[in-house]
Amino acid sequence: MEQFVQQLVNGIMAGSTYAVVALGFGLVFSVMRVVNLAHPEIFMIGAYVAFVVITGLHVPDAGLDVLAALAVFLGVLLVAMLTTGAAGLVLERLVIRPTRGTYILTPFIATAGVSIALQNSAQRLFGPDPVRVPSVIPAYTFTLGGVRVSSMQLATFLTAVAIMLALRYYVHSTRWGRATRAVAEKPDVAAACGVNVNLVSQLTVGIASIMAGAAGVALGLLYTSAAPFMGLLYGLKSFICMLVAGNRHIEAIMAVGLLLGVVEAMVTGYISSNLRDAVAFALLLAVLFFRPQGLFGSYEV
Amino acid sequence: MSSSLSALLPAFWVVTLITAGLNTIITMGLYFSNSAGALSACHAALAGVGGYVAAVLTTNFDWPFPVALLAGAVMGFAIGMLLALVTLRMNELVAGLTTLAFGETMVIIAFNLDYIGGANGFMGIPLQTTFAAVYPLLVLVVFAAWRFDRSRLGYAARACRDNPRAAAAMGINVPWVKTLVFALGSGIAGLGGGLRAHYVLVQNPDDMGFFFSLNYLIFWVFGGSYTFWGPVFGAMFLTILPELLRFSLYDRFIIYGVILTAIVIVRLQGVITRVPLGRRPFFVAWVSRLWRRPVPAASLGGSQGGR
């Protein structure tokens, strides 16, 4: 039972970053009907920004007191979010806008080219091997009734939750969020009502990229590594989370991200770590078989 | 044949051309499969199945190479038919995702089957595929595609892709055409996979994964998905391009990615289409595309793809 609760907690902690990356996929897909294959690479950029900033600051490994560590963590997060947000805006302007609205695979292939270029640029700049991201958060383990949570896990989880709450607030309670929902629902009608569809689309990719960048920082610090091809499998799994949930509800994507993390942790803990990566695909196959529109909502092409 | 060829071409180019030929055959399979409006994200898996079947037959059962190839193609055909039947009622996107999940499932199955080598891959395959084996088959496949485009089945398939409802009203048996065409393409992919297995000499489970299927999708869309020359050009060009870029070993895939993106932006429907090439220089065309007014997303799908 204790092991079960421990795996549950681990799964929720790991799954929260899946949820954040999946939300980015979902946002962009809902608003533009575009599968942004460069999204995982933006996530990878986030992890590398963390690496560059932290090694550049010469932060002593786990030698900071709590407040300084928190300040460094938030600073890194901010820099990474600004970088990836800018990257997202540029990506939308140069690649997605000229290709969208034609055939669903055209922006897909165009962003695939961007993703190949970004992966290999990272490889060129930082080498093919994973680099070590120093952990700024002091290693500390909280124990509650036999269940252990490390401080880094907690930081990752809290970051993810904060991002999800912020996104929820943006989409449901702001003017721009309402415009975003309108474009997702009916772009032509939204345009007729005076919504600047292009600007909303660009902002959406920017926001999705900001979220991916934050997730990249959190994950880079959690596993203390960043690698050029880290986005591949991670992005694919997050994409599957989005598909399993359907793109109608933000909450559904969050829930499925957490669910995937938990199921993966359970499979690792009770069956075998070899099968861990198979879980996502099994989940997708099962859901598509019974509910081809996703668990909680439809994706109309 | 191959000895006289190596006198003409450096060995490096023979290797590159054989790889390009193999990729082209598998991409032609994708062309057939998707010609009726399906979207397959698992052609690497279908090729892998063909490769495993052919390799096991030649290595463990000493079957002659052509017969084993044929068996691989038949296996691809059968699996493709099953897959097409399962995905028939889904919309294009969901069908594509189902094939994606299917491909990854095949990876996991191959990973856990010890008879075919499990995670290490199936090894000890005899070298059978030469230049002289690949290119006649490629010509045959391209010829088949050319005939297919002008056959009743080809017209029916394109009608299904453009507007299934109208096609059905014209008396086309849409489910049957879609299934048959998908299975045909899967068979061709199985054939290409068998050839590849006897050239690379090892068949890995990972070769069946989504990222390899994605490559074939890129070849297909990049070249132009509406004519059979499109995939031929896409696969040939994109296989040879990284080799041409070898002058800068580290940057070549960066350049490759940039070229891929730039060409897709300028030629939205692939390089080879029935749309004539513009007269404007490449860069001007790209820059002017940046100010193109995108079609609102909700009215998508009418011009191409259909639903």
Side-chain angles (χ1 to χ4, degrees), chain A residues 93 98 100 110 114 120 124 278, chain B residues 101 108 251 253 261 268 290 292:
Chain A
R93 191 68 189 86
R100 80 190 160 89
V114 174
N120 288 282
R124 180 88 169 91
Chain B
I108 292 153
D251 299 329
F253 275 106
T261 304
L268 289 175
L290 295 183
R292 190 182 71 89

Side-chain angles (χ1 to χ4, degrees), chain A residues 36-280:
Chain A
N36 178 8
L37 271 192
H39 194 63
E41 272 53 56
I42 300 230
F43 162 83
M44 179 260 311
I45 291 177
Y48 270 105
V49 169
F51 164 73
V52 170
V53 172
I54 295 174
T55 42
L57 285 174
H58 299 291
V59 178
D61 229 357
L64 294 169
D65 60 83
V66 178
L67 276 183
L70 209 60
V72 172
F73 179 66
L74 291 179
V76 170
L77 211 54
L78 192 67
V79 174
M81 284 159 87
L82 288 177
T83 319
T84 53
L89 295 182
V90 173
L91 175 77
E92 200 278 342
R93 191 68 189 86
L94 291 186
V95 179
I96 299 181
R97 194 180 298 178
T99 51
R100 80 190 160 89
T102 48
Y103 174 47
I104 188 161
L105 280 180
T106 311
F108 184 80
I109 305 292
T111 49
V114 174
S115 136
I116 293 171
L118 285 177
Q119 283 158 10
N120 288 282
S121 308
Q123 193 175 15
R124 180 88 169 91
L125 287 171
F126 302 103
D129 299 323
V131 292
R132 190 174 174 283
V133 182
S135 52
V136 281
I137 304 278
Y140 183 79
T141 310
F142 303 93
T143 314
L144 187 76
V147 177
R148 294 186 311 278
V149 181
S150 78
S151 50
M152 198 50 238
Q153 272 182 320
L154 205 62
T156 309
F157 181 65
L158 291 179
T159 314
V161 169
I163 290 171
M164 291 192 257
L165 290 179
L167 179 76
R168 207 191 120 76
Y169 175 77
Y170 170 79
V171 171
H172 286 291
S173 314
T174 66
R175 225 178 130 72
W176 280 104
R178 197 161 40 176
T180 311
R181 275 180 296 149
V183 174
E185 203 67 46
K186 280 251 181 313
D188 32 7
V189 179
C193 294
V195 176
N196 185 342
V197 176
N198 277 343
L199 191 59
V200 166
S201 306
Q202 191 166 18
L203 267 184
T204 305
V205 178
I207 287 168
S209 305
I210 286 174
M211 296 185 342
V217 172
L219 207 79
L221 288 172
L222 180 61
Y223 297 130
T224 64
S225 80
F229 297 98
M230 67 190 284
L232 282 179
L233 192 59
Y234 207 81
L236 187 58
K237 282 190 202 163
S238 307
F239 183 55
I240 287 175
C241 286
M242 188 277 269
L243 296 170
V244 167
N247 61 344
R248 172 108 355 132
H249 302 291
I250 293 178
E251 294 81 1
I253 300 180
M254 297 179 194
V256 171
L258 294 180
L259 177 75
L260 179 63
V262 169
V263 177
E264 281 194 344
M266 292 296 170
V267 169
T268 313
Y270 286 101
I271 305 172
S272 138
S273 59
N274 287 337
L275 288 178
R276 200 183 81 132
D277 293 336
V279 170

Side-chain angles (χ1 to χ4, degrees), chain B residues 48-88:
Chain B
V49 169
Y52 269 119
V53 168
V56 167
L57 289 178
T58 49
T59 313
N60 290 358
F61 295 95
D62 290 321
W63 281 31
F65 178 55
V67 184
L69 273 187
L70 200 65
V74 169
M75 193 67 183
F77 185 89
I79 290 182
M81 187 160 263
L82 274 179
L83 202 55
L85 287 173
V86 171
T87 57
L88 205 56

